[in-house]
Amino acid sequence: MDFQPLGRSGLKVSKLALGAMNFGASAYFASSDETEARRIIDRFLAAGHVMIDTADGYTGGESERIVGRAIHRRRDQVVLSTKAFLPQGDGPNDRGLSRVHLTRALEASLRRLDTDYLDIYYCHQWDGVTPIEETMATLDGFVRAGKVRYLGASNFTAAQIVESQWAAQRLGGTAFTALQAQYSLVARTIEAEILPTCQRHGLGVTAWSPLGSGVLTGRYRDTSPSGDTRLGRLLASPVPEAHRWAAGLLNERTLRIAEEVGRVAAELNTSTAAVALAWIHGRPGITSTVVGPRTLDQLEQNLTELELPGELAERLDRLSVPIDGAVNGMRSDNAA
């Protein structure tokens, strides 16, 4: 197993991280019950990978509970991360990155995960209301108390990363070590500013949605999928953001890229998932990739080790060069 440091830190992480977003009942997506989730976790760890990632907003906290029960007797074998920001109640202080909400959220996540500490604690998204100094001082307190080992950001812009790192420096506190960002052959906007910023400021980058919410697996053949698919349900959702997210992923450009991934997979006699993941693993600045399988069979496809030949990687790279407006960078907390 190939391990490498997470950013400018001594924490060694595996190439793959297991995203637990699908664990527990979901209102919008097909999901994994606890039995299947445990099978997935067992197989993932047995394959030599160590990172498991969840969030307090996934399946109403059930994802954290399932992960906590599954790793209870092998906690020290796992690099465990969760996130905070999303609403945990109806009150005005039940969301965001304020000191009051982060403190409550961390304690609740530790209880659900049945652990005394987190290896990485992520800010799930930027809080435009709370001063960043308050957020970074609060997070530094968690590290000093031994409840968190490393800090991370999720879905921050380049400017927000810089502002956060400068705030930590001014406070003499702990800076971010990791960033989670959307990245795939159909979503490459982070290459322009975010990846260079992370390299300058010492953040390891973990890519989420590496399969473009299933688009790169060849599951979708046109821009109007059936209602029993993930993106089909999102397109039919009454939530405007969900509809925009799906529409941004299903268009002629992304379907052309998916077709080419399928052709490359056929040439190499492997799966489309293996090709899409191999392309990301070969990109500069990427430390690891979050895969979010719903079944054990899906995980097995993600575990395939593949080194993409240079000429094939270049072929995919040329076809998927970002075009202004063609890639939807909107966050969907159900789209890992």
Side-chain angles (χ1 to χ4, degrees):
M1 181 58 60
D2 181 24
F3 294 92
Q4 57 181 319
L6 181 65
R8 200 174 296 154
S9 80
L11 180 65
K12 304 299 193 302
V13 297
S14 50
K15 185 182 295 185
L16 290 181
L18 179 63
M21 184 194 65
N22 291 320
F23 297 168
S26 171
Y28 291 103
F29 305 108
S31 54
S32 312
D33 62 21
E34 185 160 358
T35 299
E36 185 70 359
R38 287 199 177 212
R39 292 175 66 204
I40 291 169
I41 291 170
D42 289 345
R43 176 69 181 99
F44 181 81
L45 295 177
H49 300 285
V50 298
M51 285 205 296
I52 298 180
D53 177 74
T54 184
D56 60 1
Y58 294 164
T59 57
E62 188 59 23
S63 171
E64 289 184 326
R65 295 185 187 95
I66 290 173
V67 169
R69 289 191 287 265
I71 68 170
H72 180 68
R73 296 185 181 278
R74 46 188 169 177
R75 171 66 185 89
D76 290 342
Q77 301 175 28
V78 175
V79 175
L80 178 64
S81 63
T82 193
K83 314 177 193 75
F85 175 92
L86 298 178
Q88 298 298 297
D90 297 327
N93 293 307
D94 290 336
R95 67 190 67 198
L97 301 179
S98 68
R99 179 174 285 108
V100 63
H101 179 64
L102 283 175
T103 302
R104 291 174 181 171
L106 175 62
E107 295 300 332
S109 285
L110 291 174
R111 286 195 299 271
R112 286 190 292 264
L113 288 162
D114 193 20
T115 184
D116 296 327
Y117 70 98
L118 297 171
D119 295 289
I120 311 170
Y121 197 38
Y122 286 96
C123 297
H124 210 152
Q125 62 189 68
W126 177 261
D127 184 341
V129 177
T130 302
I132 188 60
E133 290 82 4
E134 177 179 335
T135 298
M136 299 309 293
T138 302
L139 294 172
D140 179 63
F142 297 161
V143 174
R144 293 177 185 274
K147 296 181 179 181
V148 173
R149 302 291 191 256
Y150 298 91
L151 303 177
S154 180
N155 310 301
F156 277 34
T157 66
Q160 290 162 355
I161 293 167
V162 172
E163 190 171 345
S164 302
Q165 300 299 78
W166 283 353
Q169 186 178 45
R170 288 194 301 272
L171 294 165
T174 309
F176 287 137
T177 297
L179 177 80
Q180 282 195 10
Q182 180 193 13
Y183 190 48
S184 72
L185 278 160
V186 297
R188 296 177 55 183
T189 55
I190 69 169
E191 293 175 358
E193 295 183 351
I194 293 175
L195 282 179
T197 297
C198 287
Q199 289 175 322
R200 286 195 299 272
H201 288 268
L203 278 70
V205 178
T206 297
W208 61 262
S209 198
L211 305 181
S213 290
V215 172
L216 294 173
T217 65
R219 184 181 310 162
Y220 302 96
R221 301 297 180 182
D222 57 53
T223 58
S224 301
S226 66
D228 62 350
T229 61
R230 167 179 286 194
L231 293 183
R233 285 188 288 271
L234 282 174
L235 284 171
S237 168
V239 180
E241 184 179 85
H243 187 277
R244 288 196 299 270
W245 167 264
L249 283 170
L250 276 178
N251 54 60
E252 291 183 4
R253 173 184 174 273
T254 58
L255 292 176
R256 281 198 305 272
I257 295 170
E259 288 177 3
E260 188 64 23
V261 170
R263 284 191 281 268
V264 170
E267 292 177 31
L268 297 176
N269 193 29
T270 189
S271 69
T272 54
V275 171
L277 289 171
W279 180 85
I280 289 184
H281 293 154
R283 304 300 292 176
I286 299 298
T287 305
S288 59
T289 305
V290 177
V291 294
R294 181 176 53 82
T295 67
L296 188 60
D297 287 342
Q298 290 176 353
L299 174 65
E300 292 294 349
Q301 294 182 40
N302 294 335
L303 291 177
T304 301
E305 292 284 343
L306 175 67
E307 185 172 342
L308 203 59
E311 65 276 11
L312 295 181
E314 291 174 7
R315 199 165 102 194
L316 292 173
D317 188 58
R318 288 193 301 271
L319 180 64
S320 63
V321 169
I323 301 172
D324 288 346
V327 178
N328 187 337
M330 187 185 306
R331 171 67 184 179
S332 168
D333 292 303
N334 293 303

